């Protein structure tokens, strides 16, 4: 099993990030704020033949980036894949948004050969499963988030981080055990609470989980936190990468970024 990973990184180390990232993960709301950021992603696919995933920034903004503006940015960046604007923990709203977006941008795939990623949303097992089944039938790729409130009910552990970690594991396991899991569709895991979560999928050879993204090793390095090779960290800095996008690294922090990202890959590729 080879799971590709991308760690969102501040502007100052975007060029260096190509050394530890398997693909480039773009947060759409940052494109107009930072010209260097936009230039990096505009050149990623066209000049460097890198895979680019365009995210709708729902985690950072609390709601997805405006659909019309998202399409404008997609045409600028020409990503290999993009996450269709979704609605937090709202299965019905997410399905409606997916349908509307697909209808209004039907030429996107023919324009630059890109894949539409459908993000699963919902408040409970029934809603999440129904949204998952819809995305399995309609999206090119399926994305599952790390921080559903549902996981706090079903996950094991004493902390939010542990429950998020085990909650997504259980959700995926339940999809497989009930026959809902679509083995023919690639899956992307959005973010993480604890890096050790991913070893679960590797050990069980859930081979169509093909990629994940998390800024965790980078943000940890900024806070001076060093990964353990077996499990990463037991805690997680609460700062979002988007709030550190202008950070300038010390030499020690940069060395820690390289170390943490190397350890992350050891966890997901055993």
């Amino acid at each position: 099993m080879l799971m590709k990973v991308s760690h969102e990184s501040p502007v100052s180390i975007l060029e260096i990030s190509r050394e530890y990232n398997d693909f480039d993960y773009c947060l759409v709301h940052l494109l107009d704020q930072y010209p260097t950021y936009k230039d990096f992603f505009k050149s990623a696919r066209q000049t460097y033949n890198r895979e680019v995933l365009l995210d709708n920034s729902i985690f950072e903004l609390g709601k997805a980036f405006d659909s019309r503006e998202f399409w404008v940015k997609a045409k600028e960046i020409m990503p290999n894949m993009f996450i269709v604007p979704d609605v937090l923990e709202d299965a019905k709203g997410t399905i409606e948004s997916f349908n509307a977006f697909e209808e209004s941008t039907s030429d996107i795939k023919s324009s630059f050969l890109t894949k539409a990623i459908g993000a699963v949303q919902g408040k409970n097992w029934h809603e999440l499963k129904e949204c998952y089944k819809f995305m399995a039938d309609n999206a090119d790729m399926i994305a599952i988030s790390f921080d559903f409130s549902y996981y706090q009910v079903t996950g094991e552990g004493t902390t939010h981080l542990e429950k998020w970690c085990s909650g997504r594991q259980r959700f995926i396991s339940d999809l497989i055990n009930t026959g809902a899991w679509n083995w023919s569709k690639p899956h992307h895991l959005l973010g993480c609470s604890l890096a050790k979560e991913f070893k679960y999928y590797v050990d069980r050879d859930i081979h169509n989980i093909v990629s994940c993204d998390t800024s965790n090793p980078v943000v940890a390095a900024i806070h001076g936190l060093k990964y353990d090779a077996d499990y990463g960290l037991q805690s997680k800095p609460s700062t979002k990468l988007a709030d550190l996008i202008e950070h300038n690294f010390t030499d020690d922090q940069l060395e820690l970024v390289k170390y943490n990202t190397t350890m992350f890959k050891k966890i997901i590729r055993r």
Side-chain angles (χ1 to χ4, degrees), residues 110-144:
S110 60
S111 296
F112 42 88
L113 301 175
T114 194
K115 295 180 180 178
I117 303 176
V120 177
Q121 293 288 355
K123 294 184 178 68
N124 53 49
W125 164 250
H126 174 74
E127 291 179 2
L128 288 165
K129 184 179 179 182
E130 287 305 305
C131 191
Y132 176 89
K133 290 170 66 176
F134 172 86
M135 296 305 172
D137 290 338
N138 294 278
D140 298 310
M141 191 171 181
I142 304 166
I144 301 175

Side-chain angles (χ1 to χ4, degrees), residues 69-81:
E69 281 299 307
F70 185 81
W71 171 228
V72 171
K73 302 307 178 195
K75 288 195 287 186
E76 287 186 76
I77 301 302
M78 295 198 299
N80 302 78
M81 45 199 161

Side-chain angles (χ1 to χ4, degrees), residues 14-15 17-18 24 35-44:
L14 282 177
E15 294 294 336
S17 74
R18 290 196 175 110
D24 297 325
T36 303
Y37 189 86
K38 177 183 281 189
D39 290 343
F40 175 84
F41 286 101
K42 284 183 72 173
S43 66

Side-chain angles (χ1 to χ4, degrees), residues 242-256:
D243 296 327
L244 298 167
I245 198 68
E246 298 180 31
H247 181 79
N248 290 310
F249 288 78
T250 65
D251 290 342
D252 288 344
Q253 287 176 329
L254 189 54
E255 283 302 309
L256 202 47

